[in-house]
């Protein structure tokens, strides 16, 4: 499937999700408007229109699921026909109301068409062909209904011309709004795709860095442990112990960096273990001892006896906290 066809399939999928998410409230409100129209037109017009609203929407949602226009052109055509029928069935009632001049019939008809154009411009704008075919389904009854009204009442051609121009202007504005919203949807989708691509690139980079960093880090740890076993000098052993502890700390930090799910949620995992806190404190102080001595300062430690017993805690987190305080 080409990139263009994949884009169309994604548009249809998002369109289907939006329609399905508001299927019942949207159609119940539309049905309420149709029932109000029953003040002026027969229920034999209203009830089939209400039935058509729900039936066409439900069928359209069914056929839009996992729809790829290039692979299933017939199913795609069925969806377009269903959308056309839905908008036509609603607008034809508004056109029937428009034929009445008493009371608030014509304002009601205008309100029905206006809300229909609004939902077309907002909801159907994700996949533009669906929006356009729906707009066509609304346009035909509006223009034909207006023509029948002026012919039936034998009124002036000027009035017919003006109302037709006004209707076309409203429909054209609906089309412009639909196209504008479609561009907004496309820009939003492009930004989302770019963000996802950047996130995937970041993950690939971290995975590569993990491989590149662990190779020398394992060598440092291996050589450090080997030299520590062979060393007989106390000072060398202390320095090698600091080197190994630092490398192990770096390895844990690397694990945290790679744990993207935890980082994105604003937390880092705890890894409790039975450790002696005084040993961890001493190891952390040893990391800073050379720099402190080089600066001409002194560092002493006074550790409570309670911290010389094994406790369940995360040694790496303890060292990070101490390092932040000392640095």
């Amino acid at each position: 499937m080409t990139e263009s066809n994949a884009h169309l399939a994604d548009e249809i999928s998002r369109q289907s999700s939006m329609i399905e998410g508001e299927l019942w409230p949207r159609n119940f409100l539309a049905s309420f408007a149709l029932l109000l129209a029953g003040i002026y037109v027969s229920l034999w017009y209203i009830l089939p229109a209400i039935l058509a609203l729900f039936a066409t929407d439900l069928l359209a949602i069914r056929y839009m699921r996992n729809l790829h226009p290039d692979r299933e052109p017939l199913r795609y055509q069925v969806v377009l026909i269903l959308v056309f029928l839905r908008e036509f069935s609603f607008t034809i009632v508004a056109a029937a109301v428009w034929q009445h001049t008493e009371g608030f019939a014509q304002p009601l008809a205008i309100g029905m068409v206006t809300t229909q154009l609004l939902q077309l411009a907002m909801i159907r704008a994700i996949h533009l062909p669906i929006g356009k075919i729906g707009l066509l389904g609304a346009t035909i009854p509006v223009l034909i209904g207006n023509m029948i009204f002026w012919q039936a009442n034998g009124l002036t051609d000027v009035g017919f011309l003006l109302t037709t121009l006004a209707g076309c202007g409203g429909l054209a504005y609906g089309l412009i709004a639909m196209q504008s919203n479609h561009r907004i949807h496309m820009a939003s989708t492009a930004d989302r795709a770019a963000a996802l691509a950047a996130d995937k690139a970041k993950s690939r980079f971290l995975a590569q860095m993990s491989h590149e960093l662990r190779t020398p880090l394992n060598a440092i740890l291996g050589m450090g442990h080997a030299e520590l076993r062979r060393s007989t000098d106390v000072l060398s052993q202390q320095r090698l112990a600091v080197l190994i502890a630092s490398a192990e700390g770096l390895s844990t930090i690397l694990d945290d960096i790679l744990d993207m799910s935890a980082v994105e949620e604003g937390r880092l995992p705890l890894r409790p273990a039975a450790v002696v806190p005084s040993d961890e404190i001493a190891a952390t102080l040893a990391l800073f001892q050379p720099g402190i001595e080089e600066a001409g300062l002194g560092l002493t430690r006074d550790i409570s006896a309670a911290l010389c017993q094994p406790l369940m805690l995360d040694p790496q987190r303890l060292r990070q906290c101490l390092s932040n305080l000392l640095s």
Side-chain angles (χ1 to χ4, degrees):
M1 184 168 56
T2 64
E3 182 178 353
S4 175
N5 289 329
H7 177 69
L8 291 178
D10 179 65
E11 284 185 353
I12 293 174
S13 176
R14 287 185 289 113
Q15 176 77 93
S16 175
S17 298
M18 179 174 288
I19 294 174
E20 187 171 5
E22 57 180 22
L23 170 68
W24 299 109
R26 185 165 60 90
N27 281 310
F28 276 125
L29 289 174
S31 299
F32 177 72
L34 291 173
L35 290 174
L36 285 179
I39 298 174
Y40 302 101
V41 298
S42 171
L43 286 179
W44 293 109
Y45 289 96
I46 305 301
L47 296 179
I50 293 175
L51 179 62
L53 288 181
F54 285 94
T56 52
D57 252 1
L58 289 170
L59 287 173
I61 290 171
R62 177 181 177 184
Y63 285 114
M64 288 170 72
R65 288 173 182 158
N66 303 316
L67 174 59
H68 299 276
D70 58 322
R71 299 177 185 172
E72 302 167 292
L74 181 59
R75 189 151 69 106
Y76 182 60
Q77 295 298 323
V78 170
V79 170
L80 295 179
I81 292 172
L82 289 170
V83 173
F84 176 88
L85 291 176
R86 184 195 186 279
E87 306 308 328
F88 183 90
S89 63
F90 183 86
T91 317
I92 197 68
V93 176
V97 174
W98 177 255
Q99 309 304 312
H100 298 266
T101 57
E102 69 274 10
F104 299 97
Q106 292 186 336
L108 174 61
I110 294 173
M112 291 174 66
V113 174
T114 301
T115 55
Q116 185 183 24
L117 292 178
L118 180 62
Q119 72 92 14
L120 281 171
M122 299 298 296
I123 299 174
R124 302 288 189 180
I126 295 178
H127 184 60
L128 204 53
I130 287 181
K132 289 181 176 180
I133 199 69
L135 184 62
L136 178 62
T139 300
I140 293 175
V142 167
L143 297 181
I144 294 179
N146 185 56
M147 180 179 65
I148 293 174
F149 171 78
W150 288 96
Q151 288 183 347
N153 290 277
L155 301 177
T156 63
D157 293 337
V158 175
F160 168 69
L161 179 62
L162 290 177
T163 53
T164 301
L165 288 175
C168 290
L171 294 167
Y173 184 81
L175 177 61
I176 293 172
M178 185 188 303
Q179 291 173 332
S180 298
N181 285 327
H182 178 69
R183 286 192 291 269
I184 292 173
H185 283 297
M186 289 182 63
S188 176
T189 302
D191 291 342
R192 179 175 177 272
L196 291 175
D199 185 66
K200 290 180 180 179
K202 178 180 65 177
S203 299
R204 288 194 300 268
F205 171 77
L206 289 176
Q208 182 66 26
M209 288 301 296
S210 170
H211 174 74
E212 299 295 336
L213 288 175
R214 287 189 183 281
T215 300
L217 188 59
N218 289 335
I220 293 172
L221 286 170
M223 293 297 294
H225 283 293
E227 290 299 318
L228 182 61
R229 288 192 297 268
R230 294 175 55 186
S231 177
T232 57
D233 181 68
V234 176
L235 182 59
S236 296
Q237 290 177 347
Q238 292 177 347
R239 291 175 176 175
L240 287 169
V242 171
L243 176 66
I244 293 171
S246 299
E248 290 174 344
L250 181 60
S251 177
T252 303
I253 293 174
L254 185 60
D255 291 337
D256 291 339
I257 293 174
L258 295 176
D259 191 354
M260 293 306 300
S261 60
V263 173
E264 290 172 355
E265 292 175 7
R267 62 176 177 81
L268 288 175
L270 293 177
R271 302 181 180 91
V275 297
V276 179
S278 60
D279 294 343
E280 301 300 324
I281 296 172
T284 305
L285 295 178
L287 296 176
F288 288 87
Q289 190 70 45
I292 291 173
E293 292 178 352
E294 184 178 351
L297 301 174
L299 177 63
T300 59
R301 68 174 185 246
D302 183 10
I303 302 176
S304 170
L307 298 178
C308 297
Q309 303 297 324
L311 297 175
M312 290 298 296
L313 53 86
D314 188 331
Q316 181 60 27
R317 299 290 170 255
L318 176 59
R319 291 189 184 190
Q320 286 178 342
C321 293
L322 293 174
S323 296
N324 290 335
L325 291 173
L326 290 169
S327 60

